[in-house]
Amino acid sequence: AQTVTQSQPEMSVQEAETVTLSCTYDTSESDYYLFWYKQPPSRQMILVIRQEAYKQQNATENRFSVNFQKAAKSFSLKISDSQLGDAAMYFCAYFMDSNYQLIWGAGTKLIIKP
Amino acid sequence: EPEVTQTPSHQVTQMGQEVILRCVPISNHLYFYWYRQILGQKVEFLVSFYNNEISEKSEIFDDQFSVERPDGSNFTLKIRSTKLEDSAMYFCATQTHNTAQYFGPGTRLTVT
């Protein structure tokens, strides 16, 4: 069965600095998708970034980028120039078409220090 | 930008009562999901729905739960006889082929 592990329950970073959130996953499949979702205090679940496993190029969305290491089954999220609005829970999630569900990590709480 | 909507935003109900949570998917999306998140805990998958039938369901999704898309727009989750442990945030998510799942704002269910 697929699993997703986020080993950092909480991270803190100074405003304007860079922070990296870790995620590892376990699967025997070769074709799948990986996501980072952000959940601010409002509890809305907001898509941050997605990565297709067949793509070697790391996904980037403005200040957010990933380091996807398929062989190591690692999918970390880098946030550059951290802003106060980035404070939230961040969830890593795995999806495979045949499973019809997202499999979630436990989340990392990101604190931004002004 | 199109978005998923959910109603109500907050539902308070007594144990044993039936509740229906509603979701309006993004219009061209074909796959629909319900997840729940107990406060402070992990997000849990409940059920996925495609082509008017359940594609996958978790162990949580027992006989007390049902889903339907009665009018081709709303996607509903019914809990027949609520328990205290059903108190959680319930999220609807929708997607089309090869896209991410987009989430609604959630319904906070409180069972007293």
Side-chain angles (χ1 to χ4, degrees), chain A residues 4 33 35 37 39 42-47 50 52 91 95 97-107, chain B residues 31 33 35 37-43 45 48 50 55-56 89 91 95 98-105:
Chain A
V4 177
Y33 303 84
F35 304 93
Y37 283 89
Q39 188 178 41
S42 66
R43 299 191 73 185
Q44 169 91 44
M45 199 67 76
I46 301 164
L47 175 68
R50 67 175 254 162
E52 291 89 342
F91 292 94
F95 180 83
D97 282 336
S98 58
N99 266 6
Y100 292 103
Q101 61 178 283
L102 281 167
I103 296 168
W104 298 82
Chain B
Y31 300 86
Y33 305 83
Y35 295 88
Q37 186 185 32
I38 295 169
L39 187 61
Q41 296 188 22
K42 209 169 174 172
V43 181
F45 167 75
S48 58
Y50 171 68
S55 308
E56 193 80 35
M89 196 77 165
F91 291 102
Q95 75 174 115
N98 299 323
T99 67
Q101 291 181 23
Y102 290 90
F103 283 74

Side-chain angles (χ1 to χ4, degrees), chain A residues 2 8 12 16 20 39 46 50 63 73 83 85-86 89 91 94 103:
Chain A
Q2 294 85 9
Q8 306 152 317
S12 62
T20 299
Q39 188 178 41
I46 301 164
R50 67 175 254 162
R63 298 183 294 108
K73 296 179 185 172
Q83 299 174 1
D86 295 334
M89 284 290 288
F91 292 94
Y94 166 103
I103 296 168

Side-chain angles (χ1 to χ4, degrees), chain A residues 23-76:
Chain A
C23 173
T24 58
Y25 58 94
D26 189 24
T27 184
S28 57
E29 303 297 326
S30 60
D31 196 16
Y32 49 87
Y33 303 84
L34 295 162
F35 304 93
W36 280 97
Y37 283 89
K38 169 185 176 182
Q39 188 178 41
S42 66
R43 299 191 73 185
Q44 169 91 44
M45 199 67 76
I46 301 164
L47 175 68
V48 175
I49 201 165
R50 67 175 254 162
Q51 174 81 43
E52 291 89 342
Y54 66 84
K55 288 187 178 176
Q56 291 187 336
Q57 189 171 6
N58 288 322
T60 299
E61 286 287 341
N62 301 315
R63 298 183 294 108
F64 298 86
S65 62
V66 297
N67 183 5
F68 174 48
Q69 302 286 328
K70 191 172 184 179
K73 296 179 185 172
S74 168
F75 182 60
S76 59

